[in-house]
Amino acid sequence: MGEESACPFCGAALPTTSPRRSYAATLGLSLGLMTAACSAATSSDDGGSTGAGSGSATEATSLSAPSASTGGDPTSTSDGAMTSTGTETGVDDETTDDPDDQGGSFYAGSPDTSTGEMDCDLFEQDCPLGEKCMPWGSTGGTWDATACRQVANDPQQVDEACTVEGSGTSGIDNCDIGLMCFDVDDKTNTGTCTALCEGSLAAPLCDDVSAVCAVFNDGNLPICIADCHPLAQDCEDGDVCIPVNDGANFACVATSEAVPVGEACDDVNSCAAGLACLQEPADCGPGWGCCRSYCDTSLGDPDATCTAIAPGQVCEPWYQDPAPPGFGNLGICQ
Amino acid sequence: MKLKEARKRLQIVDQLPTADSRRLSKTWSGTAPVPRLAVWEITLACDQQCIHCGSRAGAARPGELSTEECLDLVRQMKDIGVGEVVLVGGEAYLRNDFILIIRAIRDAGMSATMTTGGRTLTRARADAMVEAGISAVNVSIDGMEQAHDRLRGSEGSWRAAFAAMGHLRAAGANVHCNTQINRLSRNDLRPLQRALAQAGVTAWQLQITAPFGNAGDHPEILLQPYMYPALFDELEQLADDADTLGMKIWPANNLGYFGPLEARLRRLQKRGGHYKGCGAGRYVLGIEANGAIKGCPSLGGAANIGGTVREHSLRQIWEHAHELKYTRERTVTALWGYCGQCYYADVCRAGCTATSEPLLGRPGNNPFCHHRAQELAREGLRERIELVSKGPGLPFDHGLYRVITEALDPERRAAEGPVSVEQPRTSRLVDPSGAGRPLDIEAG
């Protein structure tokens, strides 16, 4: 069990053991990047490869509080992996039933609810030959589902310019399989072909060593984006360095608003460069969270940066021990 | 109870709970999987005499559940995780309390759907169903008028079915259609598709007539396995037209498997776009009108019925009856003949049990397969089935057939005769597991 073989006719992968989707991340990523809770989480411990700036695998962690919709009580284990205390993640190697499959019966007829798209697996890329599994917005908004989409003729490759059909969340683009057109300009419908993560949701990977797998939207958007250091703010112009994967990593995304320090933010990329949108303590007025400044704990007076912004604030280490290499001095004004 | 009386018992509500669906929403652990789809024969009474009827419906089944027993069973279904309940018959609407059952299903948060021949599905019945909260109705139409009426044993049946669709749509119901493909309806599929589209049908289930019940007694209407390549060529045309017509084609479990059309036909049904084996007892539950519980809605008898809700709870039967656990526990060692050696054996498991078991006496080998027919054709071979013996005449019973492999070329076939003959095998009652043993047909 568990093997896959290519179908000589239909080209579809044939999983004999169902992929399990117990992932519980809930970061919303709409046309802008919606806000998520962020706390200083531990990184996973696979030999240091998952730390911020490692450009390699990350554990699939969440930036937000457990969601009731995930059906359990997801908690982060000491190694950062997600577990669930619910009963919905049971694994039985004998069954080939996939969540999302729809049964049929001689007498039952077509289901009333099957007017939508069938989900697919972004990591397994289990769509029929000539199609690719893509994140898309099933309600026209943010990426909240996956679906099989045709691969374009002569598709664009990673980092090449691309176009989308409809909107940036339609899932229809001219990038190759395993890529999606990301960072789309909604006026021109053009963006850049960006790699979807490989591996698995539990252990996502990016081929590009300078990229980090950032998992957003309940796992519906696992994407490889450039890593960065929040103190250096070493992203390209127009991008900001934001925490991803439960704060374990940092990655570059396009800024949406450049909200100044101490003001309310609604998206994880709302804040200006050098700031993070954190939910707690939420003491800056209406909004999901507050823009807070990063600080350097290795400075002679690390709190000086913070008190200059707001009296009483101190520079707290971002990571609990151990911090990933190069990030030991990262702090946040609280 | 008269329909008018039943309608009076329907509580007037502003809104019913959001209906669940048959879609698998979770993986399972522990004792048993979750039966997301329940197919419930609430009566065996029927207003037609179909020559292909699997349950040999006509008169009500002795000892059918009372209204209160039905409502209790609804609660039990909800309790074990059912998402959609399909009411069938006979004709479900011939029990006037069917609308109370529909309402109970919807009140419990499950989808309530119905499959019907629609012979006497009047506007009043349609209104009552919609009032009760029916989620969708699948009307069975098997070919154009001549073929359908002959299959249904009832002149005017085809027109009545279209009239029923009209009543249902006028009442506000979601209406789908299902069609059995057999030698009478085979050549009607394209005109039927157009007629259905004109009638507003947007979802169309296709299935082959399987040899159980009355259909097993009529080999002359059953497709032959060697007809599959041409049939699937036509299905591809239907799929093309469906795209144009805005119609969704939904292949039933016995229409497949793993040929070049597989992914296209199953892309909305199965993740990965391919068949994944019989769902009976895994996520599908069958209920007979007397409360008998089985894994496959289309099979019956001692090999398939695990008990009755008059003696045990639904949960007990679902979780523990070995008859229902068959498809959960079987392995590829239960496959035999061509299917035992097939490339797709592990994931396909010989396709629909309700087709293979009635044909050959036990599951595990199924000549009604596109992949199989194509592969044999590449070798210059074809398969046909031949009736060995008829069934005893009980609901969901079956006779026995044999599979004959022979040359595709007519001249070679006439000159050389059969290449091989696959005889039916011992039933699961005789050999509960494994591939069984060939029956000694000559010795009886």
Side-chain angles (χ1 to χ4, degrees), chain A residues 57-122:
Chain A
T58 69
E59 290 289 345
T61 54
S62 169
L63 282 172
S64 68
S67 162
S69 66
T70 59
D73 178 20
T75 54
S76 185
T77 61
S78 59
D79 64 356
M82 298 304 294
T83 62
S84 172
T85 57
T87 58
E88 298 188 3
T89 56
V91 172
D92 185 292
D93 288 341
E94 293 303 313
T95 180
T96 56
D97 303 341
D98 280 331
D100 305 321
D101 274 5
Q102 299 199 83
S105 159
F106 208 65
Y107 288 102
S110 169
D112 192 41
T113 52
S114 180
T115 53
E117 304 262 356
M118 179 59 67
D119 280 2
C120 50
D121 192 295
L122 293 165

Side-chain angles (χ1 to χ4, degrees), chain B residues 75-326:
Chain B
R75 288 187 283 273
Q76 293 191 58
M77 283 192 273
K78 174 65 178 176
D79 181 56
I80 62 171
V82 171
E84 178 182 341
V85 183
V86 188
L87 300 183
V88 300
E91 271 300 354
Y93 58 67
L94 293 180
R95 266 187 80 140
N96 285 325
D97 62 355
F98 81 116
I99 58 172
L100 302 179
I101 298 169
I102 290 169
R103 172 60 66 82
I105 293 166
R106 290 300 318 278
D107 276 340
M110 299 179 284
S111 279
T113 59
M114 196 170 106
T115 301
T116 175
R119 183 72 176 90
T120 54
L121 206 167
T122 59
R123 178 61 194 267
R125 283 179 166 138
D127 284 340
M129 290 161 63
V130 171
E131 205 171 275
I134 193 80
S135 305
V137 182
N138 273 279
V139 179
S140 305
I141 302 180
D142 300 329
M144 296 300 282
E145 185 167 5
Q146 187 179 5
H148 177 94
D149 285 359
R150 186 174 161 203
L151 284 163
R152 297 278 155 187
S154 171
E155 195 174 338
S157 177
W158 191 84
R159 290 178 183 273
F162 274 83
M165 287 199 290
H167 294 322
L168 288 162
R169 286 170 62 82
N174 295 321
V175 184
H176 307 317
C177 182
N178 64 80
T179 295
Q180 288 199 29
I181 307 171
N182 52 50
R183 275 198 259 181
L184 296 182
S185 65
R186 161 80 181 77
N187 294 321
D188 287 350
L189 296 177
R190 297 196 77 186
L192 177 59
Q193 183 183 39
R194 288 192 291 275
L196 295 177
Q198 283 177 358
V201 171
T202 56
W204 188 24
Q205 173 165 304
L206 292 171
Q207 57 208 42
I208 64 163
T209 297
F212 58 90
N214 289 346
D217 298 342
H218 291 281
E220 75 281 3
I221 68 168
L222 301 178
L223 293 177
Q224 286 290 353
Y226 64 76
M227 297 173 177
Y228 256 45
L231 172 65
F232 275 74
D233 286 346
E234 180 151 3
L235 290 178
E236 186 165 19
Q237 293 180 328
L238 294 175
D240 289 342
D241 292 346
D243 290 341
T244 307
L245 295 167
M247 177 186 280
K248 177 186 64 180
I249 289 182
W250 186 261
N253 291 334
N254 74 356
L255 192 65
Y257 309 92
F258 295 98
L261 212 52
E262 178 77 10
R264 185 171 181 192
L265 288 180
R266 285 194 210 281
R267 59 173 296 137
L268 296 180
Q269 185 182 70
K270 298 288 181 187
R271 191 170 181 166
H274 65 83
Y275 183 73
K276 296 176 183 176
C278 173
R282 288 166 58 207
Y283 48 80
V284 178
L285 164 70
I287 304 167
E288 295 188 350
N290 58 6
I293 303 299
K294 51 196 186 177
C296 175
S298 309
L299 292 172
N304 292 286
I305 292 172
T308 162
V309 290
R310 286 188 170 131
E311 294 171 349
H312 306 283
S313 72
L314 177 62
R315 179 180 293 279
Q316 284 174 320
I317 299 169
W318 174 260
E319 291 183 351
H320 301 295
H322 67 86
E323 292 87 353
L324 275 74
K325 290 160 73 176
Y326 174 75

